[in-house]
Amino acid sequence: MSRLTDPGEQVSLKEAFAELGTARGRQDPYPLYEAIRNHGAAAWLKPGRLVVTGYEECDRALRDTRLHVQDAAGYDATSPGWRDHSSLRAFTSSMLYSNPPDHTRLRAVAGFAFTPPKIRRLRSVVEEMADRLLDRMARLGADGSPVDLIAEYASRLPVAVISAMLGFPEEDQVWFRDMASTVAVSTDGFGDPAALERADRAMDDMTAYFTDLVDRRRRDPRDDLVTLLTQTHDDDPRRLGHDELMGTLMVLLTAGFETTSFLIGHGAMLAMERSSLAGRLRTEPDFAPAYVEEILRFEPPVHVTSRWAAADTELLGTSVPAGSRLTLILAAANRDPRRFADPARFDPDRPDNRPLSFGAGGHFCLGAPLARLEAALALPRLFARFPGLTATKPPVYRDRWVVRGLDTLPVAIAA
Ligand code: HEM
């Protein structure tokens, strides 16, 4: 145990926060969150930067309409040169990076497709896709060789489902998955110039692909979301501009795929580590939703988000000057001992389990019903199909902070 992760040590807020930027810190950030929490549920890292680890405080900040998400104007103020990066530019035309009134308009344009009743109707589609992928895993692992559960199952299912909704051809799905994964590093900011450069190139390739697909759907409409969004743009570009159409497609593809893949990956890993849970997933049909909720709390795929104070504000018991940035550590809020008893214990039977893993307020995750459905179907099916599933190597986390999950999870499928 290092001094930074020893609960007995009083480590400065600056030191603990800086450690989150290192590969070692990102492999296990939870002790660092506790070191940060020791300085308060909302603590100033430096003037203009408030770090929030409390559950109630994160929840309040996410719902506070005086706080904004980083939008194009925000980037102009804080990150000169950001417009040179297509991977950042494309996302600022989406709902995730806009504030009202644009946010309200953009969310309404795509939101109709993600309502809980619409998502419930996808159940049999998800089941069928999961079973096809399990057949493939069975073939790949039949001779006893390890199969990477992330590459072959956890990441393929979400990309297959969202591709079917949007109307992307099946043969392009693995390409999409790899591109989406490459552009997603832009969420970690300007830290790694080489990764940002790769993200820009991937974004350019995806934009060219979407532009071509939109044209094809214009000529030959189908029963899919790309066609509907294209028609919305063509009918009234004030409702959905061209860049906004691209931004919406980009965010629907990228926001949901790695995150859901990490959710399924964590769920599989935790059940392999605790065989009684794998047994319950197999035999108790109603267990999966509670299990998924606890994975979301315990190992959230999105660790952190941020907000900006649009004006001088009194908030969370402190004066927040205009332009201040709030770093909201959702993964720390999910382990706030004032909200969750024995928070470092994985317990799917915990009562009133409402983690902040999908955010809260106006930007609450649009895809939450879809992600929950996919994980709640994928995990019981995985353990029913392969009752003897075991990990062949210790898990390795990807070296990223914002969207965090397992890089690979090699498993043996034999009983
Ligand atoms: C386990 C899986 C997922 C997790 C943990 C997750 C997490 C989140 C979080 C934390 C936010 C809010 C960010 C903020 O307020 O700053 C968000 C927003 C969003 N998510 Fe998800 N997400 C997941 C799956 C999905 C899926 C499957 C989709 C769609 C296919 C999706 C689409 C979106 C969109 C469009 C937004 C922006 C909503 C808005 O700005 O109004 N997400 N997600």
Side-chain angles (χ1 to χ4, degrees):
M1 184 181 295
S2 89
R3 196 178 71 77
L4 287 167
T5 55
D6 182 346
E9 282 279 341
Q10 179 71 7
V11 175
S12 83
L13 178 54
K14 262 202 183 94
E15 270 180 292
F17 196 82
E19 186 71 4
L20 288 171
T22 68
R24 192 178 54 166
R26 286 190 291 248
Q27 279 300 308
D28 182 11
Y30 291 102
L32 298 171
Y33 296 157
E34 295 318 311
I36 294 171
R37 200 196 305 286
N38 284 337
H39 296 270
W44 289 101
L45 179 65
K46 56 184 179 186
R49 185 82 182 264
L50 189 64
V51 182
V52 187
T53 49
Y55 178 94
E56 201 200 315
E57 290 75 9
C58 276
D59 188 52
R60 268 174 32 213
L62 287 164
R63 293 172 196 277
D64 195 318
T65 51
R66 296 168 300 176
L67 298 175
H68 287 181
V69 297
Q70 176 84 312
D71 56 11
Y75 271 121
D76 282 339
T78 60
S79 315
W82 73 276
R83 285 178 195 269
D84 298 338
H85 297 284
S86 54
S87 59
L88 299 170
R89 244 179 11 244
F91 285 120
T92 54
S93 305
S94 79
M95 67 186 102
L96 190 55
Y97 289 78
S98 16
N99 294 294
D102 289 341
H103 174 259
T104 320
R105 175 175 55 82
L106 291 172
R107 186 157 169 128
V109 161
F112 75 95
F114 291 88
T115 60
K118 283 241 168 76
I119 295 303
R120 275 198 293 277
R121 273 182 240 141
L122 292 176
R123 185 185 176 96
S124 58
V125 176
V126 178
E127 285 174 341
E128 195 193 305
M129 286 173 172
D131 289 345
R132 271 172 48 196
L133 293 171
L134 292 171
D135 289 345
R136 189 184 137 86
M137 270 183 74
R139 282 196 303 278
L140 291 171
D143 62 356
S145 37
V147 180
D148 180 6
L149 190 120
I150 302 294
E152 297 304 334
Y153 191 56
S155 73
R156 280 185 189 245
L157 183 65
V159 87
V161 174
I162 194 67
S163 296
M165 288 177 79
L166 286 163
F168 297 153
E170 201 172 333
E171 62 274 17
D172 297 337
Q173 287 176 12
V174 171
W175 180 79
F176 271 131
R177 184 190 64 185
D178 298 343
M179 290 292 112
S181 189
T182 311
V183 299
V185 298
S186 66
T187 53
D188 266 20
F190 290 84
D192 179 347
L196 197 54
E197 167 86 38
R198 283 194 297 276
D200 289 342
R201 277 203 304 273
M203 185 61 89
D204 294 341
D205 289 348
M206 281 170 81
T207 305
Y209 183 98
F210 287 151
T211 306
D212 178 59
L213 185 65
V214 160
D215 271 352
R216 279 188 278 146
R217 291 294 184 269
R218 206 170 258 139
R219 291 193 302 271
D220 177 17
R222 303 263 175 92
D223 180 18
D224 62 34
L225 213 45
V226 172
T227 304
L228 280 172
L229 292 170
T230 304
Q231 285 168 349
T232 305
H233 164 66
D234 291 352
D235 289 348
D236 183 359
R238 281 167 311 175
R239 235 184 115 204
L240 185 67
H242 176 267
D243 290 353
E244 292 170 343
L245 168 61
M246 291 294 141
T248 301
L249 293 175
M250 214 64 86
V251 89
L252 289 179
L253 180 67
T254 53
F257 127 69
E258 275 204 318
T259 46
T260 313
S261 145
F262 290 155
L263 173 63
I264 296 171
H266 291 149
M269 176 188 76
L270 287 159
M272 284 189 289
E273 287 168 0
R274 300 158 172 82
S275 61
S276 66
L277 295 177
R280 287 181 73 185
L281 283 169
R282 264 194 305 274
T283 56
E284 288 179 36
D286 296 336
F287 178 58
Y291 183 69
V292 169
E293 231 38 40
E294 180 66 349
I295 310 163
L296 284 164
R297 185 192 72 81
F298 192 76
E299 280 286 10
V302 178
H303 269 229
V304 60
T305 187
S306 52
R307 292 291 186 269
W308 297 78
D312 290 347
T313 309
E314 279 297 317
L315 183 77
L316 308 178
T318 180
S319 301
V320 180
S324 300
R325 177 178 182 179
L326 284 83
T327 298
L328 309 174
I329 308 185
L330 307 174
N334 283 353
R335 294 191 184 202
D336 182 347
R338 295 171 309 166
R339 172 63 179 79
F340 298 100
D342 200 359
R345 192 164 62 90
F346 185 77
D347 175 12
D349 298 315
R350 119 186 353 267
D352 190 27
N353 194 9
R354 282 180 290 114
L356 288 179
S357 316
F358 290 120
H363 289 272
F364 180 80
C365 176
L366 190 70
L370 180 59
R372 285 183 168 126
L373 178 80
E374 288 179 23
L377 293 175
L379 290 165
R381 289 181 114 69
L382 173 71
F383 287 99
R385 181 71 178 264
F386 306 124
L389 198 74
T390 43
T392 58
K393 278 190 188 157
V396 176
Y397 282 84
R398 190 165 290 186
D399 183 21
R400 294 228 308 268
W401 183 35
V402 178
V403 179
R404 180 173 181 272
L406 297 177
D407 218 0
T408 59
L409 182 56
V411 293
I413 62 173

